[in-house]
């Protein structure tokens, strides 16, 4: 390397470091951006991870009025299964029990009427009603079969045994950590780019930098490096807190989340640039970034899984980069997919970043007027 | 070689010709001022010469280099203070100037010296948002000078400064100019232009109406001189006997005589021993401005 080349490289490095430091300080001293990119998403993590995950699937509240043969004749094992589904309280007053069911304080009241088990329930919550009816019927059938078998002395022709396996859907914390992290990174990348572009344009700093011997590339690189650094810190905080406080379990290829986040950051910075390019004020830019990211977070499953969402919604969400970031993050961080599973999302995010950057570059102006 | 060569620069905003075929040469080491009312086109002209705006037509060269498109060879050799202060958000004054210094490869220690030179030592740790208007302006000037540029462009550098800070800046700029730097500034203060500049360009409505030394501008004005004689010294009939007096009127300061032959009038006053407390009022740049733009400067 010739002396002048290395000198130029040195000068560029000095400029790059100085710019990065200036941008980082500007970020760290802006309480609202620190709040919105780190604290605010963390509050969601604590909320989802800490509060909701403790509730588990709620059981069906059942009031047993008087003696109910079905319950009395159950063996210990069956009784355990039964209580996994029903939370039984006993009562002697049928009218009071019905009133409770009507008011929604209990889900079902059972009473024996002439050897027939009568279940009183409402249809307000249809899912619960169906669960209740189905489960009750199953237990009654089971008891009948048992009784018949005992009478005839023969084994029943069919038997069933349930054994639970780890199901495809994830524990709350497993799901929300990657999703909220994706949202947090998307938000801070988009806001950072939008606010910097607008703020610098309005303060004429963009103009002033144009007159300094520093290339656009160096300025952009500094902004990217700072934003990516912030994203990695966000990841460290999220994953650290998830593992330590909420029992988050990372799966094998979780480290692929790092390159995934880097590409995701670039993608959302480009959206921020777009927001900064089409707006005239800093507030406008931040609002536009918000307008892009927040609905996207809902539609991309950052806050709740899309598994149950209708097909058209799923289709829309596939057009959103955040959906692919979330999918990729969940796959590698908690679902235990191999490292290669992050490649497709990364490719899609990169494509988004390139296209949106090209659009923003076309709309770019040095001045606010 | 001329430090700045400007040929037929034109900039239009819609129907408005903000800069209208301006040509101008500035020699190396020259100190040039551009004066003109608000909206005259001073900032637009300067920004085209700095290479910040693409002119609609015409060309500008600085230190022999074309300024447009953005010329990286030229940038380290020029220093620019824009009319609006432009800073990195939420940095302190010291961080600010050090960042700019680093962009030009200037060490931090040198940057700190510049803070002292513009009297901002005490404010070094204050964020730019917390500086007063004048302090921010001084910081902005220091940021323009930190890399010791050969050609300096300052857009209303003294606009927000108190009289003391203004004087200090005058000294600073004169010093830089004496060490061979070329300086171009815009100002609304005629006394400033007169005190600092080798040549002054008077600009209005996008055109440069006059461009010459302050002395030549005033002389060219060919304005009558006013001589003020202390009150009560001159009777009405004495005034009538004075030669070459075009007009005479009484004011609080005394009798104001207007003449185009100040020498003859003064000689006459001396003969009659009336020179005590006599004041001579010649034309100023302000008069020149008034004459060429056809309007009162401060109006
Ligand atoms: N970006 C712009 N778009 C439209 N018009 C503009 C723009 N910038 C300047 N102008 C107009 O061009 C004219 C010259 O503006 P300029 O800023 O050069 O004046 P100036 O002499 O620097 O004034 P001042 O003394 O107030 O700084 C003004 O009439 C202004 O309104
Ligand atoms: Mg101006």
């Amino acid at each position: 390397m010739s002396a002048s080349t290395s000198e130029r490289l040195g000068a560029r490095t000095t400029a790059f470091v100085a710019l990065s430091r200036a941008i980082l300080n500007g970020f760290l001293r802006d309480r609202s951006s620190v709040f919105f990119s780190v604290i605010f998403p963390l509050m969601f993590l604590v909320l989802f991870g800490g509060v909701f995950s403790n509730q588990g699937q709620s059981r069906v509240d059942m009031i047993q009025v008087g003696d109910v043969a079905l319950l009395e004749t159950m063996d210990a094992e069956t009784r355990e299964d039964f209580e996994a589904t029903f939370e039984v309280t006993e009562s002697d007053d049928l009218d009071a029990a019905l009133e409770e069911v009507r008011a929604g304080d209990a889900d079902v009241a059972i009473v024996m009427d002439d050897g027939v088990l009568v279940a009183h329930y409402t249809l307000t919550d249809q899912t619960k009603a169906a669960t209740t009816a189905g489960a009750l019927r199953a237990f009654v059938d089971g008891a009948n079969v048992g009784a018949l078998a005992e009478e005839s002395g023969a084994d029943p022709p069919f038997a069933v045994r349930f054994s639970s396996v780890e199901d495809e859907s994830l524990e709350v914390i497993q799901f929300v950590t990657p999703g909220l992290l994706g949202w947090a990174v998307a938000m801070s990348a988009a806001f950072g780019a939008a606010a910097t572009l607008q703020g610098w344009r309005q303060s004429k700093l963009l103009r002033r930098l144009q007159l300094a011997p520093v290339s656009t590339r160096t300025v952009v690189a500094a902004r990217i490096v700072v934003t990516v650094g912030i994203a990695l810190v966000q990841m460290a905080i999220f994953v650290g807190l998830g593992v330590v406080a909420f029992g988050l379990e990372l799966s094998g290829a979780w480290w692929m989340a790092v390159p995934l986040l880097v590409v995701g950051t670039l993608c959302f910075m480009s959206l921020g640039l777009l927001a900064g390019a089409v707006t005239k004020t800093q507030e406008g830019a931040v609002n536009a970034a918000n307008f892009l990211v927040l609905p996207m977070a809902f539609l991309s499953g950052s806050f709740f899984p899309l598994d149950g969402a209708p097909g058209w919604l799923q289709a829309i969400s596939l057009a959103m980069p955040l959906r692919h970031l979330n999918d990729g993050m969940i796959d590698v961080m908690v679902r235990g997919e191999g490292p290669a599973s992050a490649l497709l999302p990364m490719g899609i995010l990169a494509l988004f970043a390139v296209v949106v950057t090209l659009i923003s570059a076309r709309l770019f102006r040095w001045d606010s007027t | 070689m001329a430090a700045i060569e400007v040929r037929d620069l034109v900039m239009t905003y819609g129907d408005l010709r903000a800069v209208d075929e301006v040509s101008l040469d500035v020699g190396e080491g020259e100190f040039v001022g551009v004066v003109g009312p608000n909206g005259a086109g001073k900032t637009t002209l300067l920004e085209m010469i700095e290479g910040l705006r693409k002119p609609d037509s015409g060309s500008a060269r600085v230190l022999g280099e074309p300024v447009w498109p953005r010329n990286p060879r030229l940038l380290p050799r020029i220093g620019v203070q824009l009319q609006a202060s432009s800073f990195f958000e939420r940095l302190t004054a010291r961080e600010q100037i050090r960042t700019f210094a680093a962009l030009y490869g200037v060490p931090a220690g040198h940057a700190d010296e510049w803070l002292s030179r513009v009297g901002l030592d005490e404010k070094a740790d204050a964020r730019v948002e917390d500086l007063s208007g004048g302090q921010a302006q001084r910081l902005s000037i220091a940021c323009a000078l930190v890399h010791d540029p050969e050609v300096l462009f300052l857009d209303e550098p003294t606009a927000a400064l108190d009289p003391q800070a203004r004087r200090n800046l005058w000294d600073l700029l004169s010093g830089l100019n004496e060490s061979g730097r070329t300086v171009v500034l815009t100002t609304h203060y005629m006394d400033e232009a007169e005190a600092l500049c080798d040549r002054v360009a008077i600009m209005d409505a996008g055109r440069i109406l006059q461009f010459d030394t302050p002395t030549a501008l005033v002389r060219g004005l060919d304005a009558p001189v006013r001589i003020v004689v202390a009150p009560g010294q001159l009777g009405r009939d004495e005034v009538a006997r004075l030669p070459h007096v075009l007009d005479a009127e009484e004011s609080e300061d005394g009798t104001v005589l207007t003449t185009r032959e100040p020498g003859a009038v003064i000689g006459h006053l001396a003969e009659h021993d009336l020179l005590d407390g006599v004041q001579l009022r010649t034309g100023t740049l302000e008069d020149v401005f008034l004459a060429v733009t056809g309007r009162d400067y401060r109006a």
Side-chain angles (χ1 to χ4, degrees):
Chain A
M1 199 186 290
S2 78
S4 78
T5 319
S6 73
E7 220 169 79
R8 220 176 312 136
L9 204 67
R12 202 174 296 163
T13 314
T14 316
F16 171 75
V17 171
L19 281 170
S20 305
R21 189 179 298 153
I23 294 168
L24 182 62
N25 277 329
F27 168 76
L28 292 176
R29 290 172 194 173
D30 179 7
R31 285 204 202 99
S32 75
S33 46
V34 172
F35 175 80
F36 277 109
S37 49
V38 181
I39 317 270
F40 188 53
L42 271 184
M43 284 163 45
F44 275 73
L45 184 71
V46 171
L47 196 69
F48 284 122
V51 183
F52 293 156
S53 65
N54 288 342
Q55 289 186 342
Q57 182 69 48
S58 64
R59 291 187 292 172
V60 178
D61 287 326
M62 168 182 280
I63 304 177
Q64 172 194 350
V65 183
D67 289 342
V68 175
L70 175 70
L71 300 187
E72 261 94 86
T73 56
M74 274 178 187
D75 58 30
E77 203 181 314
T78 316
R79 178 76 195 202
E80 202 174 291
D81 282 348
F82 189 81
E83 285 188 352
T85 314
F86 298 103
E87 186 166 359
V88 185
T89 45
E90 295 186 19
S91 158
D92 288 328
D93 186 346
L94 178 61
D95 287 337
L98 290 182
E99 192 49 47
E100 273 190 63
V101 172
R102 214 168 277 131
D105 295 332
D107 298 309
V108 59
I110 51 172
V111 62
M112 291 304 288
D113 181 20
D114 230 356
V116 177
L117 179 88
V118 183
H120 303 271
Y121 61 95
T122 70
L123 284 172
T124 318
D125 181 344
Q126 301 212 357
T127 324
K128 214 156 201 182
T131 317
T132 308
L136 261 183
R137 195 178 302 280
F139 281 105
V140 171
D141 288 349
N144 286 339
V145 170
L148 285 174
E150 216 164 272
E151 235 165 69
S152 66
D155 280 341
F158 304 106
V160 62
R161 215 179 59 218
F162 297 94
S163 114
S164 92
V165 287
E166 212 34 69
D167 97 57
E168 264 289 277
S169 62
L170 297 158
E171 287 269 332
V172 174
I173 187 67
Q174 302 288 84
F175 172 79
V176 295
T177 309
L180 288 178
L181 178 56
W183 170 57
V185 165
M187 206 163 56
S188 69
F191 284 17
T196 305
L197 179 56
Q198 266 306 341
W200 288 16
R201 175 153 55 209
Q202 266 176 355
S203 74
K204 305 275 180 195
L205 182 60
L206 220 47
R207 281 269 179 218
R208 181 64 187 78
L209 288 179
Q210 213 188 344
L211 287 173
V214 50
S215 67
T216 315
R217 241 179 319 159
T218 308
V219 180
V220 171
R223 179 68 251 194
I224 287 180
V225 163
V226 171
T227 313
V228 166
I230 293 171
L232 295 181
V233 170
Q234 285 174 309
M235 175 171 175
I237 295 177
F238 267 73
V239 171
L241 191 74
V243 168
V244 171
F246 302 121
L248 171 71
E249 285 170 36
L250 292 176
S251 59
W254 68 269
W255 46 267
M256 269 309 273
V258 173
L260 190 56
L261 269 190
V262 172
V263 184
T265 303
L266 293 179
C267 176
F268 281 92
M269 283 186 78
S270 71
L271 281 173
L273 278 186
L274 183 65
V278 298
T279 50
K280 287 210 152 86
T281 64
Q282 196 164 9
E283 295 73 44
V286 168
N287 287 342
N290 214 344
F291 184 76
L292 282 174
V293 175
L294 195 63
M296 200 187 295
F298 277 102
L299 294 176
S300 303
S302 285
F303 304 127
F304 43 78
L306 287 177
D307 300 341
W312 58 268
L313 197 66
Q314 302 251 16
I316 291 178
S317 81
L318 282 175
M320 318 239 159
L322 190 52
R323 164 74 194 267
H324 300 282
L325 180 60
N326 286 339
D327 283 359
M329 298 273 283
I330 288 180
D331 282 351
V332 294
M333 283 177 72
V334 296
R335 258 200 229 281
E337 308 262 340
S341 66
L343 294 179
L344 180 62
M346 280 169 69
I348 295 173
L349 289 167
L351 188 68
F352 246 99
V354 169
V355 171
V356 177
T357 304
L358 288 178
I359 297 174
S360 314
R362 286 207 69 124
L363 298 172
F364 177 82
R365 289 154 314 178
W366 286 99
D367 280 314
S368 37
T369 46
Chain B
M1 186 186 65
I4 299 170
E5 298 161 83
V6 169
R7 292 284 165 272
D8 304 319
L9 279 186
V10 176
M11 182 68 147
T12 53
Y13 294 114
D15 287 341
L16 178 80
R17 289 175 85 81
V19 171
D20 196 1
E21 303 220 0
V22 167
S23 298
L24 171 97
D25 281 330
V26 175
E28 240 171 297
E30 215 179 351
F31 200 135
V32 166
V34 182
V35 299
N38 292 139
K42 306 181 294 294
T43 298
T44 309
L45 174 63
L46 232 57
E47 291 188 346
M48 283 192 288
I49 302 175
E50 294 153 0
L52 209 48
R53 284 181 195 281
K54 184 182 190 299
D56 291 343
S57 65
S59 67
R61 295 172 86 83
V62 172
L63 297 168
E65 303 261 7
V67 298
W68 188 271
R70 192 172 180 261
N71 187 339
R73 264 186 321 238
L74 190 56
L75 298 178
R77 303 175 69 190
I78 65 172
V80 175
Q81 176 242 330
L82 299 175
Q83 185 166 4
S85 297
S86 44
F87 295 126
F88 290 94
E89 301 155 292
R90 292 177 287 277
L91 294 197
T92 66
R94 183 185 291 120
E95 291 169 332
Q96 200 72 44
I97 194 162
R98 284 185 175 182
T99 305
F100 273 107
L103 297 184
Y104 291 89
V106 173
H110 191 71
D112 294 350
E113 261 168 50
W114 268 103
L115 273 190
S116 308
R117 290 181 77 174
V118 296
L120 284 179
D121 271 331
E122 276 174 31
K123 288 288 171 184
D125 294 315
R127 294 209 188 156
V128 289
E129 289 85 357
D130 299 333
L131 296 180
S132 77
Q135 290 163 346
Q137 189 146 0
R138 272 140 66 192
L139 179 59
S140 170
I141 293 165
C143 289
L145 301 179
V146 72
H147 58 291
D148 198 13
E150 294 163 58
V151 181
L152 262 174
F153 296 95
L154 306 167
D155 202 350
E156 296 189 25
T158 59
L161 301 189
D162 63 43
Q164 183 60 48
R166 200 149 79 97
R167 287 289 167 164
N168 292 346
L169 185 64
W170 285 12
D171 291 344
L172 182 72
L173 294 180
S174 303
L176 288 172
N177 181 235
E178 269 153 35
S179 67
R181 309 284 172 256
T182 308
V183 184
V184 179
L185 59 70
T186 71
T187 180
H188 285 166
Y189 299 107
M190 292 300 162
D191 56 334
E192 185 164 286
E194 216 156 353
L196 289 174
C197 300
D198 298 324
R199 284 196 292 165
V200 174
I202 297 177
M203 195 169 183
D204 192 17
R207 291 177 163 275
I208 288 186
L209 304 177
Q210 305 253 321
F211 184 35
D212 213 331
T213 63
T215 326
L217 287 174
V218 172
R219 193 183 305 127
L221 184 60
D222 194 24
V225 173
R226 284 190 294 275
I227 298 169
V228 188
V229 183
Q233 300 231 34
L234 276 177
R236 192 164 290 166
D237 34 335
E238 278 172 294
V239 171
R241 282 202 304 273
L242 285 170
H244 308 298
V245 171
L246 305 173
D247 185 35
E249 57 184 85
E250 291 297 327
S251 79
E252 277 175 32
D253 299 340
T255 316
V256 182
L257 310 169
T258 307
T259 176
R260 285 188 183 281
E261 306 283 342
V265 176
I266 297 229
H268 213 83
L269 290 174
E271 272 171 34
H272 294 84
D273 230 5
L274 290 168
L275 280 184
D276 276 355
V278 160
Q279 291 175 7
L280 212 69
R281 292 181 185 166
T282 55
T284 62
L285 264 191
E286 222 149 315
D287 299 319
V288 177
F289 184 86
L290 182 67
V292 298
T293 65
R295 51 179 135 171
D296 192 347
Y297 196 76
R298 310 239 176 250

